[in-house]
Amino acid sequence: MSLAGKTIIMSGGSRGIGEAIAIRAAKDGANVALLAKTTEPHPKLPGTIYTAAAAIEEAGGKALPLVGDVRDDDFVIDAVARTAEAFGGIDIVVNNASAIDLSNTADISMKKYDLMNDINTRGSFLLAKSAIEWLKKSDNAHILTLSPPISLDPKWFTKHTAYTIAKYGMSLVTLGLSEELREFGIAANSLWPRTAIDTAAVRNVVGAGLVSHSRTPAIMADAAYEILTKPSRELTGQFLIDDDVLEDAGVTDFSVYLNGGTEEDLALDFWVEPKGPHNPELRMH
């Protein structure tokens, strides 16, 4: 199955994993609407909604940059309407926008707590909710949320409870919508990386020292592509890990995704267990 002619509406996407997913879809000739705030480049965060849109067009797709805040109900509802009007419908929702703060409970401000939950959980819920009526009209509708598998092992709450709550909230959106929308043939799944991915967030929040211990965003883009080209009635309610998805698709050489190090050097992401040669002691936190 191809994404040619399919319409994706994505929160975020001006850089990093979101942009990589958008460009991969654009290579098939997909239409991509980006909902993002970044109109001017940041000193530490290269890329804007307009540079991402240009990259989508260059890859062979059609782009619709929509500047606004995913926390703004009116903006999101209008963005969905404008996307459907521009491209004749909506087939795929990608909940990519996410805020991160790894502070512990004593140190995090409630402003940051609210920001993470408003963007991560509420934003994902709002965008998916707003697109449901259009997704019902698609012959292969998907909601893909970039969030982790839910584990109640206390170790995942040791250092950053607030962030864990916000990311698990996104995963609960997947879990709930997968059942609620199953009868309409709308798939809802989550995708998460096994290892650190070289993005601005990793460099600026977690630490630049992880760059050589990371994979490139291409692994997430390729995994997302595999999910979004599956029949929606056959794959829903799953919490998928990038290298598992690609392994199931027949990929055996993951060295193409390395970012300067080796497989043994890769740092595990939050909320995932080691697989293969990954060192369980080398983790993002």
Side-chain angles (χ1 to χ4, degrees), residues 7-91:
T7 296
I8 299 170
I9 186 167
M10 175 187 294
S11 62
S14 57
R15 61 178 71 89
I17 292 171
E19 182 184 25
I21 292 173
I23 291 172
R24 179 65 185 88
K27 290 179 180 178
D28 273 8
N31 310 310
V32 185
L34 299 176
L35 281 61
K37 294 171 60 179
T38 309
T39 57
E40 299 291 335
H42 185 281
K44 293 184 178 180
L45 302 172
T48 70
I49 190 172
Y50 300 118
T51 59
I56 289 166
E57 298 272 353
E58 185 177 347
K62 294 180 180 178
L64 179 64
L66 298 168
V67 179
D69 193 329
V70 75
R71 295 173 292 173
D72 182 335
D73 296 10
D74 292 338
F75 164 69
V76 172
I77 292 167
D78 180 64
V80 167
R82 290 174 63 186
T83 300
E85 181 181 5
F87 300 121
I90 296 174
D91 302 286

Side-chain angles (χ1 to χ4, degrees), residues 125-136:
F125 184 88
L126 173 61
L127 182 56
K129 166 185 166 61
S130 301
I132 286 173
E133 291 308 310
W134 289 106
L135 294 174
K136 286 180 179 179

Side-chain angles (χ1 to χ4, degrees), residues 261-284:
T262 67
E263 289 287 333
E264 290 78 9
D265 292 331
L266 290 171
L268 292 169
D269 205 342
F270 307 112
W271 307 297
V272 291
E273 301 296 347
K275 180 179 181 179
H278 306 145
N279 183 348
E281 299 304 316
L282 188 57
R283 190 177 287 279
M284 282 178 63

Side-chain angles (χ1 to χ4, degrees), residues 38-262:
T38 309
T39 57
E40 299 291 335
H42 185 281
K44 293 184 178 180
L45 302 172
T48 70
I49 190 172
Y50 300 118
T51 59
I56 289 166
E57 298 272 353
E58 185 177 347
K62 294 180 180 178
L64 179 64
L66 298 168
V67 179
D69 193 329
V70 75
R71 295 173 292 173
D72 182 335
D73 296 10
D74 292 338
F75 164 69
V76 172
I77 292 167
D78 180 64
V80 167
R82 290 174 63 186
T83 300
E85 181 181 5
F87 300 121
I90 296 174
D91 302 286
I92 295 165
V93 170
V94 178
N95 289 312
N96 165 73
S98 184
I100 178 172
D101 188 310
L102 300 179
S103 300
N104 62 33
T105 299
D107 294 333
I108 196 166
S109 69
M110 289 312 296
K111 182 177 180 180
K112 273 293 184 69
Y113 177 94
D114 290 341
L115 176 71
M116 287 194 292
N117 281 279
D118 283 350
I119 292 176
N120 301 6
T121 305
R122 189 182 189 280
S124 298
F125 184 88
L126 173 61
L127 182 56
K129 166 185 166 61
S130 301
I132 286 173
E133 291 308 310
W134 289 106
L135 294 174
K136 286 180 179 179
K137 299 176 184 179
S138 172
D139 61 2
N140 198 48
H142 284 267
I143 299 169
L144 183 63
T145 300
L146 302 190
S147 63
I150 297 173
S151 168
L152 298 184
D153 188 324
K155 69 182 179 182
W156 300 126
F157 295 83
T158 303
K159 296 183 178 179
H160 41 73
T161 296
Y163 182 54
T164 299
I165 290 171
K167 293 305 292 190
Y168 278 14
M170 295 175 76
S171 298
L172 288 173
V173 171
T174 289
L175 189 62
L177 292 185
S178 67
E179 285 305 305
E180 192 173 342
L181 303 178
R182 187 184 296 272
E183 65 178 294
F184 305 108
I186 301 171
N189 295 290
S190 283
L191 175 64
W192 194 245
R194 172 91 53 195
T195 70
I197 303 293
D198 182 22
T199 65
V202 168
R203 293 184 182 217
N204 294 318
V205 179
V206 185
L210 277 176
V211 171
S212 63
H213 299 293
S214 303
R215 283 171 167 160
T216 66
I219 190 170
M220 286 289 282
D222 289 347
Y225 181 85
E226 290 296 329
I227 296 166
L228 298 176
T229 52
K230 291 279 193 300
S232 58
R233 290 187 179 274
E234 297 178 13
L235 181 68
T236 191
Q238 300 300 304
F239 296 96
L240 303 161
I241 304 298
D242 56 358
D243 54 13
D244 285 341
V245 172
L246 294 176
E247 203 170 74
D248 288 346
V251 175
T252 56
D253 181 10
F254 289 87
S255 64
V256 295
Y257 302 117
L258 291 174
N259 202 47
T262 67

